[in-house]
Amino acid sequence: MNDADVTRQIHQMVRFIRQEAEEKSNEIHLSAEEEFNIEKLQLVESEKKKIRQEYERKEKQVEIRKKIEYSMQLNASRIKVLQAQDDVVNYMKDAAAKELLFVSQDHHTYRKLLKELIVQSLVRLKEPAVLLRCRKEDLHNLDHVLDSSIEEYAEKVDVDPSEIIVDNVHLPPAPSHVNVHALSCSGGVVLASRDGKIVFENTLDARLDVVFRRKLPEIRKWLFGEIVVA
């Protein structure tokens, strides 16, 4: 083999090696690009997932804040409704209390009422001797009904007449426009056992309070019906 043949073979081997190298290089390049694209896609999807999760988290926070705000507004509305209802009921009670002031102005009717209150109190206490307290301005009315009250009680429960001692300490006077915050009493009596352990408050104001407490559900239903704050 001469030098020309040797040179040709060498060139052929070089071309073959170069071709193999280029093919291998292309292979590596394609594989690297494919891995890069896969990794890039995975990274993009991972970031998208993070973004979605963050969005969902913030969306939930917004929904929670909306629910809290709605609940607060709802409670505030309910409180306003209840307060308005209480104001109406209290106004109604105050109006009824003012009407009580006219009860004692009719002496005939008021004396009859005083007698009934005293008899009722004696029946509740069932004591042989009691203390009676009334307003100072009611002493003259009390003189007209005290004896007959004792007799009626004795007949009603078939016992000996009770001894009633009129207390020197009096109930507060009727309400006055001069001092609206002062203690007051619209009328009626308070009876107690001699030892003071049993007390029966039978004033007009106390009876009004009892009626309102007992009838409050009916009063509310009558005034407002079924009110629903949505």
Side-chain angles (χ1 to χ4, degrees):
M1 179 179 297
N2 55 32
D3 292 341
D5 293 332
V6 172
T7 301
R8 188 169 56 254
Q9 287 183 354
I10 290 173
H11 284 308
Q12 287 177 348
M13 290 177 63
V14 169
R15 282 198 301 272
F16 177 77
I17 293 170
R18 183 177 294 170
Q19 185 177 352
E20 286 288 325
E22 288 177 355
E23 290 177 356
K24 192 65 176 176
S25 174
N26 289 334
E27 236 180 71
I28 293 172
H29 178 73
L30 291 173
S31 177
E33 188 174 2
E34 184 178 354
E35 290 179 2
F36 169 76
N37 289 332
I38 291 173
E39 187 175 348
K40 182 176 70 173
L41 183 61
Q42 290 175 342
L43 184 61
V44 170
E45 287 300 321
S46 176
E47 290 302 317
K48 284 182 179 179
K49 185 178 180 180
K50 289 181 181 179
I51 292 172
R52 283 195 298 268
Q53 289 175 341
E54 180 66 15
Y55 174 77
E56 290 172 357
R57 185 184 67 81
K58 290 184 177 180
E59 190 177 34
K60 287 180 180 178
Q61 288 180 341
V62 171
E63 287 299 319
I64 291 172
R65 283 198 294 268
K66 285 182 179 178
K67 289 179 180 179
I68 293 174
E69 182 67 23
Y70 174 76
S71 178
M72 291 174 63
Q73 291 178 356
L74 183 61
N75 288 334
S77 298
R78 285 173 176 162
I79 291 172
K80 287 181 180 179
V81 169
L82 292 175
Q83 184 61 56
Q85 290 181 359
D86 286 342
D87 291 343
V88 173
V89 171
N90 290 332
Y91 176 81
M92 185 177 177
K93 185 179 179 182
D94 290 341
K98 290 178 181 177
E99 291 296 321
L100 291 179
L101 299 177
F102 298 102
V103 175
S104 60
Q105 294 181 6
D106 185 340
H107 295 299
H108 177 74
T109 302
Y110 185 56
R111 286 172 184 173
K112 183 179 178 182
L113 177 60
L114 270 181
K115 180 179 177 180
E116 292 175 354
L117 294 174
I118 293 170
V119 172
Q120 184 185 55
S121 302
L122 290 171
V123 171
R124 290 291 296 272
L125 292 175
K126 290 186 176 62
E127 291 285 324
V130 296
L131 294 172
L132 183 148
R133 184 175 294 181
C134 66
R135 300 185 306 178
K136 189 174 183 179
E137 58 262 43
D138 286 341
L139 289 174
H140 67 287
N141 288 316
L142 187 64
D143 290 338
H144 287 82
V145 301
L146 191 58
D147 291 339
S148 59
S149 300
I150 295 173
E151 292 175 5
E152 183 174 328
Y153 161 70
E155 293 176 2
K156 191 169 186 176
V157 297
D158 193 21
V159 296
D160 293 333
S162 295
E163 178 188 4
I164 296 182
I165 303 170
V166 180
D167 200 343
N168 291 326
V169 179
H170 304 108
L171 297 177
S176 169
H177 297 293
V178 178
N179 189 357
V180 294
H181 299 295
L183 293 175
S184 62
C185 177
S186 299
V189 293
V190 175
L191 270 71
S193 58
R194 289 289 297 273
D195 57 11
K197 291 182 179 180
I198 305 173
V199 179
F200 184 61
E201 187 175 357
N202 216 3
T203 63
L204 301 185
D205 308 274
R207 294 181 70 87
L208 179 63
D209 288 337
V210 170
V211 169
F212 258 82
R213 282 198 302 270
R214 289 179 179 174
K215 298 293 184 180
L216 188 56
E218 295 178 31
I219 293 172
R220 286 185 175 277
K221 188 174 182 180
W222 177 70
L223 287 174
F224 313 115
E226 297 295 333
I227 295 181
V228 179
V229 181

